Amino acid sequence: MLLAGRKVVVVGGSSGIGLATAELAKAQGAEVIIASRNADKVKAAAAKVGATGVVADVTNDESVVNLFKTCGPVDHVVVSAAQLKSGPFKTVSMEDVRSTMEGKFWGAWRVARSAEIRPGGSLTLVSGYLSNRPRPNSAIVGAANGAIESLARSLALELAPVRVNAVSPGIIDTPIRAAMPEAARRDMLAKTAASLPVGRVGAGEDIARQILAFMTIGFATGSIVYIDGGALIG
């Protein structure tokens, strides 16, 4: 198994892309630690995967520091945590845009600073294709994603020999969309699927497989990989 004997921490691992990554890493023999801010979700995800669950909030300095004190030295860290709020540029509240950067960008920054990753290990950040394919009412999300990608490249130099990369997903059918009315969610996903060259929206496992590749390919660092079903060329 590719990750036998390795310790993997997935921050934001209680659902969606993070949970799919935790499951795949566990299947490849890793010792997996799932971290998220919701205690009930952490407990359920850890039980499902056979992982250790730790409650941690990426928007809180002390919480992130304590997470990695608990974990100790690790081999691979993944940051998929994000609490995104957006809206029309002229009217979206500054509270919402600040909270988006706090959870998405500064959360990743905190994790990168606090994690003790063994030499040759990896840090993988999750951005999003809005960094390169902007949409109305999503300026703050695109900006946060672009900042994540820039951070990954910079940290590939600063944290070497730890390898740092980012994966940029397109539209993925994950629980983050559960807040939408079900009919609207299905309609949005169907329209998106019809517009993509692959003819479907993504699943968490699609992105998890790329994250596992970053963990296991020792020549990959400073890379940004877009897994979007062809959205950038459509």
Side-chain angles (χ1 to χ4, degrees), residues 15-213:
S15 65
I17 291 168
L19 180 58
T21 300
E23 291 176 321
L24 202 54
K26 183 69 175 180
Q28 289 298 323
E31 174 190 351
V32 177
I33 298 168
I34 290 172
S36 185
R37 64 178 181 166
N38 185 300
D40 291 338
K41 288 184 178 180
V42 168
K43 183 177 180 180
K48 179 181 180 182
V49 174
T52 299
V54 179
V55 177
D57 182 356
V58 297
T59 67
N60 182 281
D61 294 357
E62 185 178 2
S63 182
V64 175
V65 169
N66 288 338
L67 165 63
F68 287 101
K69 284 182 178 177
T70 299
C71 295
V74 301
D75 296 288
H76 304 287
V77 176
V78 179
V79 186
S80 63
Q83 298 101 47
L84 305 178
K85 297 180 181 180
S86 190
F89 177 76
K90 288 286 191 176
T91 57
V92 64
S93 74
M94 290 306 300
E95 179 182 358
D96 283 350
V97 298
R98 288 191 183 102
S99 70
T100 293
M101 288 298 290
E102 192 67 52
K104 182 81 172 182
F105 178 75
W106 291 115
W109 182 288
R110 290 183 181 95
V111 170
R113 281 174 65 105
S114 297
E116 183 182 349
I117 303 173
R118 296 184 179 105
S122 72
L123 169 65
T124 303
L125 308 180
V126 178
S127 60
Y129 82 131
L130 289 176
S131 61
N132 281 287
R133 190 71 182 264
R135 290 289 186 269
N137 305 328
S138 299
I140 187 58
V141 179
N145 289 340
I148 286 285
E149 293 171 12
S150 180
L151 180 64
R153 293 188 181 99
S154 296
L155 294 184
L157 297 176
E158 290 217 29
L159 301 184
V162 172
R163 297 176 295 101
V164 185
N165 300 285
V167 59
S168 180
I171 298 295
I172 310 297
D173 186 10
T174 67
I176 198 171
R177 303 187 188 283
M180 297 177 65
E182 181 62 16
R185 187 186 72 86
R186 289 181 178 275
D187 182 62
M188 184 275 290
L189 293 176
K191 288 179 178 177
T192 299
S195 72
L196 294 173
V198 296
R200 68 174 178 89
V201 296
E205 186 178 353
D206 293 319
I207 310 305
R209 289 185 178 278
Q210 178 58 51
I211 294 171
L212 265 286

